């Protein structure tokens, strides 16, 4: 059945089985699950239409991945071949020598033990600050980002509505909380104090760019089974770490020199450009590839483990259970050359600020930027991750492949965090001056009244109204055409870090 108000699929009794990861004995969760489904479906349906306006209610379950027992068995049988180290046994110098400089992925244990975010909760909801029970109690009324619309504006959803959806969702690829401003908003800033980057990653050179200039780099991540991120390379040649606090994540990683057409086949996949569809359709072919470089390194990340992804590596991530995680991107010293080339090309203002700080705090690195500027273009693009054959996916293209449109798209993406703040609920915005608030409060109602009067006037004139309808239709066609051609740009922010 569908909700009569939103045409959004509502859970039937067979669909409403609660995910086993949910602490159903927690009083707050019992109260949430007892509330009428229509209230939640109405809000979930609105968010879905904003993020995917051309998907129908049936499209969300068309591939039937949620009930595909063969696919579930296939995913569970994938081997865990990831190398592992322990922070208590491997020093930072050894990590840099053995993993960071050679650009080798690795799973790290012991990095989250001292975090207030803590471990997953039990059935009663007791656990760390990021357990499902505590998240519902402390942040149920706060809004989190679950995606972007066609104009790259953030789509927000109250956490309690999302958690209800997470507990009962049967969508092929469910909505995914992937929030980059959680540590900046007053209502959720405490989340940013519940963890600290592992000491292996303390030396992030992007810190010299300043919080305002550097691109979004940290994300609070929450999603149910079958959610995840489509195969991609992280932008600007940055490396990343992903710490999991609850559930399991399935990873596939391939080295930078693997061609894009190998990991992102052109034919449309059954299930669309979603992580679960990639694992169902592409992974089996790569696992049987004759070229050993085309066979992915697979690993199953469990709660308490942190995955390190070197810059330039392809990766596709799928949640096997309800997962709670935090991830950050960084510029380590070993990757400075490749990252700097991309920053200069796509973020000139940031590169200028970064160079000024390096001249003061890191004179040797500043001298290196001067040397890189003198190299011929062919030498500047010599690293494997910037070759056209391994250019980033549609979700994160940052390669120096020479396309002139890239700087323009990056300029637009630079302003995304500002757009997010403008579109964020009032409680999420940074504090503003009393004067600015008063002006905004006074002007906005007047604008709304003027708009209403204009439409009443236009509606009263049949000829004018018909002309307006024709113009609106033309604009809508042009907008959808533009959205189609710039799809890779929009999906950049949604998928580029979605671990």
């Amino acid at each position: 059945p569908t909700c009569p108000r939103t045409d959004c699929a509502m859970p039937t009794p067979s669909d409403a089985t609660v995910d086993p990861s949910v602490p159903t004995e927690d009083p707050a969760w019992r109260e949430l699950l007892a509330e009428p489904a229509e209230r939640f479906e109405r809000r979930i349906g609105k968010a879905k239409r904003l993020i995917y306006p051309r998907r129908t209610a049936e499209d969300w379950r068309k591939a039937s991945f949620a009930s595909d027992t063969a696919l579930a068995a296939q995913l569970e049988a994938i081997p865990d071949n990831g190398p592992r180290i322990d922070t208590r046994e491997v020093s930072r110098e050894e990590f840099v020598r053995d993993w960071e400089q050679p650009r080798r992925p690795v799973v790290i244990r012991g990095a989250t033990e001292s975090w207030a975010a803590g471990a997953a909760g039990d059935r009663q909801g007791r656990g760390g600050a990021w357990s499902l029970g505590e998240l519902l109690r402390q942040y149920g009324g706060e809004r989190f980002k679950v995606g972007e619309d066609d104009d790259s504006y953030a789509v927000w959803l109250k956490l309690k509505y999302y958690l209800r959806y997470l507990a009962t969702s049967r969508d092929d690829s469910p909505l995914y909380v992937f929030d980059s401003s959680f540590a900046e908003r007053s209502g959720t800033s405490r989340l940013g104090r519940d963890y600290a980057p592992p000491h292996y990653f303390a030396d992030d050179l992007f810190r010299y760019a300043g919080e305002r200039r550097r691109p979004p780099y940290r994300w609070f991540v929450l999603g149910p089974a079958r959610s995840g991120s489509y195969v991609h390379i992280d932008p600007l040649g940055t490396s990343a770490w992903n710490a999991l606090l609850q559930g399991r994540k399935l990873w596939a990683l391939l080295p930078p020199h693997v061609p894009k057409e190998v990991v992102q086949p052109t034919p449309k996949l059954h299930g669309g450009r979603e992580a679960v569809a990639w694992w169902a359709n592409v992974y089996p072919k790569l696992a049987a590839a004759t070229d050993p470089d085309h066979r992915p390194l697979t690993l199953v990340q469990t709660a308490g483990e942190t995955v390190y992804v070197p810059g330039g590596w392809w990766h596709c991530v799928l949640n096997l259970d309800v997962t709670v995680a935090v991830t950050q991107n960084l510029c380590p010293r070993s990757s400075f050359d490749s990252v700097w080339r991309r920053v200069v090309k796509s973020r000139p203002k940031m590169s200028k600020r970064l160079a000024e700080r390096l001249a003061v705090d890191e004179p040797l690195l500043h001298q290196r930027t001067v040397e890189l500027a003198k190299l011929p273009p062919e030498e500047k693009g010599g690293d494997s991750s910037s070759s056209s054959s391994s250019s980033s996916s549609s979700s994160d293209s940052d390669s120096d492949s020479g396309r002139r449109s890239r700087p323009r798209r990056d300029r637009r993406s630079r302003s995304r965090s500002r757009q997010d703040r403008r579109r964020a609920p009032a409680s999420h915005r940074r504090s503003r001056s009393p004067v600015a608030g008063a002006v905004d409060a006074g002007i906005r109602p007047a604008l709304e009244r003027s708009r209403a009067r204009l439409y009443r006037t236009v509606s009263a004139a049949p000829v004018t109204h018909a002309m307006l309808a024709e113009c609106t239709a033309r604009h809508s066609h042009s907008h959808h055409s533009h959205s189609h051609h710039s799809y890779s740009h929009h999906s950049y922010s949604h998928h580029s870090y979605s671990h």
Side-chain angles (χ1 to χ4, degrees), residues 363-376:
L364 293 180
L365 284 179
H366 181 264
Q367 179 60 33
R368 182 58 182 161
T369 65
V370 176
E371 295 170 358
L372 290 172
K374 296 177 181 178
L375 293 178

Side-chain angles (χ1 to χ4, degrees), residues 425-455:
S427 61
H428 293 186
R429 298 175 189 147
R430 292 181 177 177
S431 59
R432 307 173 61 195
S433 69
V435 174
V439 171
D440 184 73
I443 292 178
R444 189 172 298 278
L447 290 175
E448 295 298 332
R449 289 194 298 270
S450 298
R451 181 182 298 173
R453 285 197 299 271
L454 173 63
Y455 273 88

Side-chain angles (χ1 to χ4, degrees), residues 112 165 203 235 318 357 377 386 475 488:
T112 66
Y165 165 78
D203 189 20
L318 181 69
R357 286 294 307 276
S386 65
H475 172 74
S488 63

Side-chain angles (χ1 to χ4, degrees), residues 109-342:
R109 289 173 172 161
T112 66
E113 288 185 351
S114 62
W115 290 4
D122 55 19
R123 301 296 291 177
Q124 287 77 34
R126 296 186 297 264
W130 288 21
S131 65
L132 292 179
E134 284 301 311
L135 288 174
L136 176 59
R137 279 188 289 273
Q138 301 297 328
Y139 305 102
E142 298 295 332
R143 289 176 170 82
F144 287 80
K145 182 179 175 181
V146 294
E148 293 182 348
D149 63 16
D150 278 350
D151 294 319
S152 298
Y153 288 125
V155 177
W156 303 87
L157 198 61
K158 279 189 177 181
L159 186 62
K160 63 180 180 180
Y161 301 141
Y162 180 79
L163 289 175
R164 171 63 181 260
Y165 165 78
L166 168 149
T168 59
S169 176
R170 303 289 291 176
D171 291 342
D172 292 331
S173 180
L175 294 176
Y176 199 18
V177 168
F178 211 79
D179 195 322
S180 63
S181 60
F182 70 97
E184 303 169 13
R185 303 191 302 268
S186 59
T188 58
S189 60
R190 189 170 58 184
L191 291 170
R193 299 189 292 270
D194 288 339
Y195 77 96
H199 70 281
Y200 292 157
F201 312 114
D203 189 20
D204 178 8
L205 295 176
F206 271 1
R207 70 183 184 277
Y208 292 122
E211 289 293 317
R212 194 174 72 89
R213 284 290 180 203
R214 71 178 299 171
Y217 68 101
R218 57 187 173 188
W219 290 263
F220 170 77
V221 188
L222 170 65
R226 300 179 306 283
S227 61
S229 65
Y230 193 65
V231 63
H232 65 279
I233 294 175
D234 286 344
L236 296 178
T238 55
S239 302
W241 59 266
N242 180 296
L244 184 61
L245 298 168
Q246 174 164 330
R248 296 176 301 155
K249 288 179 180 286
L250 180 62
W251 292 71
L253 301 103
L254 296 104
H257 60 265
V258 176
K260 178 179 179 179
E261 56 269 20
V262 171
V263 296
Q264 290 187 345
T266 303
K268 186 176 181 180
L269 302 178
H270 173 61
R273 291 174 59 86
E274 304 289 351
V276 63
W278 188 91
W279 283 97
N281 300 288
V282 181
Y283 170 76
K285 298 176 182 177
L286 294 180
T290 55
D291 188 338
D293 283 349
H294 293 178
R295 299 174 199 157
L297 168 66
T298 56
L299 59 91
V300 179
Q301 181 188 16
T302 58
E305 293 184 330
T306 302
V307 173
Y308 168 64
V309 183
W313 276 70
W314 295 97
H315 49 286
C316 184
V317 191
L318 181 69
N319 293 322
L320 297 177
D321 315 301
V322 172
T323 62
V324 182
V326 61
T327 182
Q328 288 194 184
N329 281 66
L330 70 151
C331 172
R333 289 177 185 270
S334 59
S335 303
F336 178 76
D337 284 11
S338 59
V339 173
W340 177 256
R341 287 192 288 265
R342 288 163 176 76

Side-chain angles (χ1 to χ4, degrees), residues 347-363:
R347 296 178 181 267
K349 291 183 179 179
M350 174 183 165
S351 67
K352 182 179 179 181
R353 169 64 176 168
L354 187 55
E356 291 173 353
R357 286 294 307 276
L358 291 177
V360 176
D361 299 311
E362 299 277 355

